[in-house]
Amino acid sequence: MNSLITIDDKQLTRKQRQIADVIQKRGTAVAYMTEQEVADQARVSIASVSRFWMMIGFKNFKDYKNEIKKKIEITPENKMKNFVEQIDDGELFSQLIEQHFKNLVLTNNHFNNREFNEAIHTIASSSTVFIHAPASSEGLGGLLDFRLKRFGIHTERMAKSGHEIYESLLHVDSSSAIIIFQFVDILPETKVTLEHARECNAKTILITDRLVSEMGDAADFVLYAHRGEMWEFHTMVSPVALLEALVMGVGMAMKEESLEKLRVLNEVRKKYRHIVPK
């Protein structure tokens, strides 16, 4: 199993494997099930389920459920503790690579090519691309802003939070596109941005780690990036990979314009390199 507990499948009997399979498939939902429900879904007796918890290191089902609830309480402290508990001494980098690979694979599994291509077309054809990157996504917003500007796209960074968001919304119209980075839960500023964009007929592109959400329903295009399970330490590797693919797609869609802007950039660098060396 590779969810909340780690046990050797080879040590399990047939009935124990059936119970383990239910726990793995149901994930955090097990915290809200009864032992009878686990037994019914595993097609074993309730006595078999009761004995199972001690076999995997817990006093009883209540003890196991309490452990799940601790892990799924979304706090920075718990996510870091869960991460540290999973890392072997001396294997930090290699295990991080494995985790990133898993996140990238899951991102690819949920990749929507139609939405991706529509997002590229929207960015390339908009008069202004507004970027809303609050909290931990601020770095992603800065990278996207830097990349798009190189193609000659007019961009505007929106305030991360608070009433200053209205200053940017003032300039949004039907020729605009808004790229929103929003992970876990929707923020009030994001909700306002999505509602205002709809009223203005501006297109919205949401980059998120939620497959189903209120904000996903409100956005025109949704691009999913897996950052880890909700009880795990969240990384930005998948969002960065998605962002870079989006930028490359825009560059290809605006091939002539983007190449010309890059040519001009190179000429400007050459002209002034004796003052500001590259």
Side-chain angles (χ1 to χ4, degrees):
M1 294 178 61
N2 55 11
S3 53
L4 297 178
I5 57 174
T6 302
I7 56 179
D8 186 356
D9 286 354
K10 295 177 182 177
Q11 298 177 355
L12 303 181
T13 65
R14 179 179 60 81
K15 290 184 178 180
Q16 289 169 341
R17 283 198 186 95
Q18 289 171 213
I19 298 168
D21 186 56
V22 170
I23 294 172
Q24 187 176 43
K25 288 179 178 176
R26 298 292 290 171
T28 57
V30 174
Y32 307 100
M33 295 172 66
T34 65
E35 273 193 316
Q36 186 62 60
E37 288 173 328
V38 175
D40 291 343
Q41 292 189 23
R43 300 186 302 280
V44 299
S45 68
I46 194 168
S48 295
V49 175
S50 296
R51 290 191 295 268
F52 180 79
W53 311 116
M54 190 169 292
M55 184 265 174
I56 61 174
F58 296 90
K59 294 178 183 178
N60 48 42
F61 188 32
K62 181 180 179 181
D63 188 30
Y64 177 74
K65 292 203 288 186
N66 286 338
E67 183 64 20
I68 293 179
K69 289 175 181 178
K70 285 180 188 176
K71 287 181 176 291
I72 63 177
E73 183 182 358
I74 307 300
T75 67
E77 178 189 7
N78 277 352
K79 287 191 287 187
M80 179 57 76
K81 283 170 63 179
N82 293 335
F83 172 74
V84 171
E85 288 171 2
Q86 296 173 22
I87 299 297
D88 296 328
D89 293 340
E91 298 293 331
L92 174 61
F93 186 72
S94 62
Q95 288 186 289
L96 269 176
I97 293 298
E98 289 180 12
Q99 183 66 36
H100 295 332
F101 179 73
K102 184 191 81 170
N103 291 345
L104 288 167
V105 168
L106 288 171
T107 297
N108 186 56
N109 288 345
H110 295 287
F111 181 75
N112 188 314
N113 196 55
R114 184 191 64 79
E115 299 252 317
F116 179 75
N117 289 326
E118 289 285 355
I120 288 173
H121 173 74
T122 296
I123 294 170
S125 60
S126 297
S127 61
T128 302
V129 175
F130 293 85
I131 300 172
H132 182 47
S136 61
S137 63
E138 182 178 5
L140 297 173
L143 178 60
L144 180 62
D145 186 42
F146 175 79
R147 297 284 199 221
L148 294 182
K149 274 189 168 72
R150 280 194 163 185
F151 297 153
I153 294 175
H154 182 238
T155 62
E156 181 176 330
R157 296 288 299 278
M158 301 176 69
K160 292 185 293 181
S161 61
H163 62 83
E164 291 182 3
I165 197 83
Y166 301 135
E167 302 299 324
S168 293
L169 293 179
L170 174 67
H171 304 289
V172 173
D173 59 29
S174 60
S175 66
S176 307
I178 306 177
I179 300 175
I180 301 169
F181 293 92
Q182 186 71 92
F183 303 117
V184 186
D185 295 320
I186 186 169
L187 296 174
E189 292 83 356
T190 301
K191 186 174 183 179
V192 168
T193 298
L194 288 166
E195 287 186 9
H196 186 72
R198 178 157 293 183
E199 290 177 6
C200 295
N201 292 318
K203 295 295 184 182
T204 50
I205 300 163
L206 176 67
I207 297 176
T208 183
D209 58 355
R210 296 287 298 275
L211 285 169
V212 180
S213 67
E214 172 192 350
M215 55 187 168
D217 294 337
D220 292 297
F221 310 111
V222 180
L223 302 177
Y224 175 76
H226 191 83
R227 301 192 305 141
E229 301 300 338
M230 62 180 173
W231 60 83
E232 294 178 333
F233 179 75
H234 290 162
T235 76
M236 289 296 186
V237 172
S238 293
V240 169
L242 184 60
L243 184 156
E244 295 286 19
L246 197 62
V247 169
M248 291 179 68
V250 172
M252 293 169 65
M254 302 176 60
K255 185 175 180 180
E256 297 303 322
E257 300 97 315
S258 59
L259 289 177
E260 176 59 20
K261 289 295 181 182
L262 293 176
R263 186 194 66 77
V264 172
L265 173 62
N266 191 47
E267 291 298 321
V268 172
R269 283 177 173 174
K270 287 180 180 179
K271 182 177 180 180
Y272 297 108
R273 64 186 174 188
H274 63 289
I275 301 175
V276 183
K278 172 70 169 66

